[in-house]
Amino acid sequence: RIDMLMLKYFLGPAPVGLYNAAYRIVETINLAPGLLFNAFYPLIIALHQKNRALLTGYYSTIYKYLYLLGVYVAICLFFFSKDVLIFLFGQAYLSAALPLQILGINCLLIFLNMPLIYFLNATHKERSLFKIVVCLSLVNITLNLIFIPKWGIAGAAGSTVICEALNLLALLTVTRQNILAKGLWLIALANLLAFIIFYVYSSVSWLIILPIVSLLYFGFLLLTRTIRLQDFLFLRKRHA
């Protein structure tokens, strides 16, 4: 990772360790959409060849769940970055809290980017994907040259998020996929309510408030039929 090398060059090894701790948490979370699409990748190829209308519906369903998970993860990392770092690595890593909060946004962006990347691979547009990667690598280096000396590890995190946002725009331009899903306003409302509760009860231990709000969050989405059994049956049926 170029940002690690640049952090070490500008700031030395200690900030690299802090940034790596935050990045490892986000990297672990980001495994989820990759594992999901590895399982469904053969189906994506088959639907692209035989039934593109069905593929659109398939993607719309998946995107809905990527939204509701990605935004909620970003909110949780925003409020509980310090608690997570202390729990996993100890008090010495508290300085990585701000980068972790920033990288939480990156989780949402990667959740949205992953289906588009698999779509490009399934449609044999690897060359377009390669061009995007090369261009964004150059952008990332440029931004790190500006951000790291000025803002340190938070600057490196900001550079990563900006590049991932640009990646989303580039992927959307190339694939021409619609990433809007039904029920987005309910997902937005649920996350707004979660944000307010976390803010109001910020003094409550995260080990107590996080499970409670998570139950309320997913319960609300179930009651409003944003999360539906039919969606999972649809995905399972098409996968079979």
Side-chain angles (χ1 to χ4, degrees):
R1 288 188 48 81
I2 189 65
D3 49 358
M4 300 287 188
L5 295 174
M6 296 181 73
L7 278 169
K8 187 174 182 180
Y9 176 79
F10 283 111
L11 304 177
V16 174
L18 293 171
Y19 183 76
N20 188 51
Y23 198 88
R24 280 165 59 190
I25 294 170
V26 173
E27 197 172 39
T28 302
I29 295 170
N30 290 339
L31 289 175
L35 293 173
L36 173 67
F37 274 86
N38 277 333
F40 291 117
Y41 186 61
L43 175 63
I44 294 171
I45 296 175
L47 290 179
H48 177 73
Q49 294 172 345
K50 299 177 182 178
N51 194 334
R52 296 193 182 185
L54 185 58
L55 180 61
T56 300
Y58 190 83
Y59 260 68
S60 178
T61 301
I62 289 178
Y63 261 115
K64 178 172 68 173
Y65 291 96
L66 292 176
Y67 270 115
L68 68 87
L69 289 173
V71 177
Y72 188 63
V73 165
I75 290 175
C76 290
L77 289 177
F78 177 80
F79 280 100
F80 305 115
S81 58
K82 292 182 180 179
D83 302 285
V84 172
L85 286 165
I86 292 172
F87 180 77
L88 293 176
F89 303 108
Q91 291 277 350
Y93 285 84
L94 270 179
S95 298
L98 178 57
L100 182 55
Q101 289 176 318
I102 296 170
L103 289 172
I105 302 171
N106 207 51
C107 284
L108 171 61
L109 293 171
I110 287 180
F111 274 40
L112 299 181
N113 284 338
M114 193 67 69
L116 300 174
I117 292 171
Y118 274 85
F119 181 83
L120 284 179
N121 286 324
T123 54
H124 307 293
K125 293 182 179 179
E126 293 88 351
R127 182 175 296 182
S128 297
L129 184 58
F130 177 74
K131 290 178 181 178
I132 292 172
V133 171
V134 170
C135 290
L136 288 178
S137 295
L138 295 174
V139 172
N140 185 246
I141 292 172
T142 303
L143 290 177
N144 278 325
L145 286 171
I146 300 169
F147 289 3
I148 290 176
K150 191 170 185 178
W151 294 300
I153 56 177
S159 173
T160 299
V161 171
I162 291 172
C163 288
E164 203 62 50
L166 293 174
N167 189 27
L168 177 59
L169 292 175
L171 290 170
L172 288 172
T173 301
V174 174
T175 61
R176 298 181 181 179
Q177 287 288 310
N178 180 9
I179 64 171
L180 297 178
K182 293 181 179 179
L184 281 183
W185 74 273
L186 287 170
I187 294 172
L189 177 60
N191 279 286
L192 176 61
L193 293 174
F195 186 95
I196 292 172
I197 295 172
F198 284 142
Y199 179 78
V200 171
Y201 294 98
S202 58
S203 60
V204 179
S205 170
W206 72 293
L207 294 174
I208 296 174
I209 195 64
L210 182 56
I212 293 174
V213 175
S214 296
L215 286 173
L216 292 173
Y217 177 74
F218 290 104
F220 174 83
L221 293 173
L222 280 167
L223 287 174
T224 57
R225 295 181 56 80
T226 307
I227 297 176
R228 304 186 309 158
L229 177 61
Q230 294 93 321
D231 292 335
F232 296 98
L233 293 175
F234 170 75
L235 296 175
R236 183 177 179 181
K237 179 181 178 181
R238 302 307 174 186
H239 186 254

